[in-house]
Amino acid sequence: MTTTTAPLAAGPARPTARRWWPLAAAVLLTAAGLLTAAGLTWPSALSVDLSAPLGSTSDWIIDNRDNHPLFLYFLGHVSNAVVLSVRAVYLVLLALGWAGVTVAAGVIAWRAAGLRIGLSTLAAFAVCGLLGMWVPTMQTLALMVVAVAASLVLGALLGLAAGLSDRTFRALRPVLDTMQVLPAFAYLLPVVLVFGIGVPAAVLATVVYAAPPMARLTALGLREADPTVLEAVDSLGATARQRLITARLPLARRQLLLGVNQTVMMALSMAVIASVIGAGGLGDRVYQALASVDVGAALAAGIPIVLLAVVLDRTATAERGQRDGRTWPAWLLAAALTAAAALGARLLGAVGWPTSWNVAIAEPVNTAVDWMTDHLYTGVPVIGGTADWAAAFTSWVLDPVRSGLQALPWWGLLLLVGALALLVGTWRTALTAVAAMAAIGVLGVWDASLDTLSQVLAAVAVTLVLGFGVSVAAARSARVERWLRPVLDVFQTMPQFVYLIPVVALFGVGRAPAVAAAVVYALPAVVRITTQGLRGVDPVALESSRSLGATSWQQLRSVQIPLARPALLLAVNQAVVLVLAVVIIGGLVGGGALGYDVVFGLAQGDLATGLVAGAAIVCLGLMLDRVTQPTSAASGKGA
């Protein structure tokens, strides 16, 4: 009996009954408000109409873009530098030709990650050309090179400052926390307002979106350096600079590499989304195809995006040794092979990808989609079609959840948000969540935000149910985990935009497809985190329960789930953040609510509509993050 309870006692404590009373009180007060049916929606007297000041601000910026010193001597130079950098990289890629670029990419991947990744990279770039997407791929790659370089420099500098200074770390932490929960769309409108539609806005939005992971992980690696090593370096009389170069940075190598990987993947994701504001490239092809519901053309542009994501992820996460992959002879050989391939293609007059090699897949894909529409979309006996599923999910889940949220008294919803945040966090957490939710009402988009919230809640519920079922199977079977690993790797590296293509083909447009895309996007992270948590449970506790005759279900319910509670809570938090990001993008395929307002604001240059919706998205993300992210202080009180 002692051996059984000891491991369980070491697990995270559950909140005591004393921590549940705010939630119970909030539920009772909200129920009373429903019975009286008084003051249900947000009162207009508490809302602030920002259309006039935002319109004035927009007009001032547009009127002064060409003559104000801020634009002439600073922002204008930034914009020109971005344009020149992207154009220079693009011209280099064109000068190398398809052969030079393909060989260069393959050799770099080979030296950085091994022969298999090198061959995969060669094949990936060849497929981009075969699909007739060589020029858009080069446009996206040029933008990526500039954006990633700027993101890494900015993130490293911020991370260096935060890692070496406690004051800077405390100042940057809330900023990075907020930026982590911001959906990608929220970054677009401010940069469009300042820089206009085009490449500069796309690159700078990408930098702002992709730099925080590098900053956070750099600071984490520097602050977690082994103190004994640092003391040894100090004892040898090293200066602060020597200590940084010889000890802190080498000890933080793993975090730095992870920061590079995360920055690359987020930059690619944002570079694709930035096609909405004139970035061009592959994202623009996907966006235009989705706008005309041309699934074949969208898939032809989406496949290169996925291939780029996969090869960049594999190359950026490689950790080959210094002797193997980073010696000067190896890189000189890579340069020589690239030059030989580029020169050979130029002598043969085949600098551009030969159009005779293109393989047109749009028409066959659209034919397949038409067949699916005719045979699977609706009218399938017994199970119904995909359109029927989407309609049923909308009628039975999305509509009731939205109606239920909008029927709650506004003050009751604030009470529920505060109580839930207090349950998993502290009073400060609860106040932050309530303030974020109240700000949504003040902005005057209460109903639209609740519509978005209903989609997020429905998608999170589906994601957690599917993710938990798959995770239990993967945690119990090593074979299932091996089968799932490559699937999860591919799905986790795909940019958010790409998930809209298959759901539009299967479900058409509407709120249900937006939810389906969000579920598919968030599911891999939930499965991976939950599986790792369940498999990481102390085997002594499992063996003790097994010796007492516990069944597999009893072990799962009474041992694995309680001991894996931190991982499960992290999975819930990540599901909420990832779902919100794609639900907003779902505004492009009929998701409506805040996502539609952001898209409309970008398309029409309506700063008031787009910026208010973006601010509401930020508040909604902040509230959901605080409600689903437990703090150590809360855990301590729960004990």
Side-chain angles (χ1 to χ4, degrees), residues 140-506:
T140 298
L141 191 58
L143 191 146
M144 274 284 298
V145 170
V146 175
V148 167
S151 300
L152 291 177
V153 171
L154 178 61
L157 291 176
L158 292 175
L160 189 64
L164 300 178
S165 169
D166 291 338
R167 180 177 298 177
T168 305
F169 178 74
R170 287 194 298 269
L172 281 178
R173 184 175 180 180
V175 177
L176 296 177
D177 286 343
T178 302
M179 295 179 73
Q180 186 177 3
V181 301
L182 291 181
F185 258 25
Y187 291 90
L188 299 184
L189 196 59
V191 294
V192 169
L193 176 64
V194 175
F195 295 97
I197 299 292
V199 169
V203 171
L204 293 170
T206 303
V207 170
V208 174
Y209 183 66
M214 188 65 190
R216 184 184 291 275
L217 288 166
T218 301
L220 179 67
L222 293 176
R223 297 181 71 85
E224 290 187 349
D226 190 347
T228 58
V229 175
L230 298 180
E231 289 178 4
V233 173
D234 287 337
S235 66
L236 295 175
T239 63
R241 181 180 178 183
Q242 292 171 331
R243 185 166 61 249
L244 173 65
I245 296 175
T246 61
R248 282 185 178 271
L249 289 177
L251 290 173
R253 182 170 179 268
R254 170 176 286 186
Q255 286 85 353
L256 293 176
L257 289 175
L258 181 58
V260 171
N261 172 253
Q262 291 299 301
T263 297
V264 168
M265 299 312 300
M266 294 185 74
L268 177 60
S269 176
M270 190 62 182
V272 174
I273 295 172
S275 63
V276 179
I277 57 174
L282 295 170
D284 185 61
R285 299 294 183 96
V286 175
Y287 176 60
Q288 297 297 334
L290 287 175
S292 59
V293 199
D294 187 347
V295 178
L299 187 64
I303 290 174
I305 294 173
V306 175
L307 294 177
L308 273 180
V310 171
V311 298
L312 288 172
D313 177 66
R314 295 298 183 272
T315 304
T317 54
E319 291 191 42
R320 300 194 67 183
Q322 299 280 348
R323 180 178 57 83
D324 182 26
R326 298 179 185 178
T327 55
W328 282 109
W331 293 113
L332 289 175
L333 175 62
L337 291 174
T338 301
L343 182 60
R346 186 169 293 276
L347 292 176
L348 295 174
V351 177
W353 182 270
T355 55
S356 59
W357 293 3
N358 291 350
V359 178
I361 68 169
E363 186 175 349
V365 169
N366 285 332
T367 301
V369 171
D370 292 338
W371 183 90
M372 291 170 55
T373 302
D374 295 336
H375 296 84
L376 301 178
Y377 203 61
T378 187
V380 180
V382 183
I383 63 173
T386 54
D388 301 325
W389 299 350
F393 187 79
T394 301
S395 300
W396 290 93
V397 179
L398 292 177
D399 288 345
V401 174
R402 180 179 63 181
S403 300
L405 288 173
Q406 292 178 347
L408 291 174
W410 63 271
W411 48 267
L413 191 55
L414 293 183
L415 286 174
L416 290 174
V417 166
L420 288 172
L422 183 60
L423 185 65
V424 300
T426 63
W427 282 105
R428 181 179 299 178
T429 305
L431 290 175
T432 303
V434 171
M437 196 68 193
I440 292 173
V442 173
L443 291 171
V445 286
W446 185 259
D447 288 339
S449 299
L450 294 185
D451 189 357
T452 297
L453 181 59
S454 68
Q455 297 178 43
V456 171
L457 295 178
V460 167
V462 175
T463 302
L464 293 179
V465 170
L466 294 176
F468 187 75
V470 174
S471 300
V472 170
R476 293 296 179 89
S477 171
R479 180 179 298 178
V480 172
E481 188 183 18
R482 284 196 303 271
W483 288 346
L484 280 175
R485 189 177 302 142
V487 177
L488 296 178
D489 287 344
V490 172
F491 273 76
Q492 269 196 300
T493 55
M494 288 171 58
Q496 303 160 0
F497 221 40
V498 179
Y499 288 91
L500 299 179
I501 300 172
V503 298
V504 168
L506 288 172

Side-chain angles (χ1 to χ4, degrees), residues 106-120:
V107 171
I108 290 172
W110 167 44
R111 299 311 307 165
L115 181 61
R116 187 175 65 176
I117 302 301
L119 295 175
S120 300

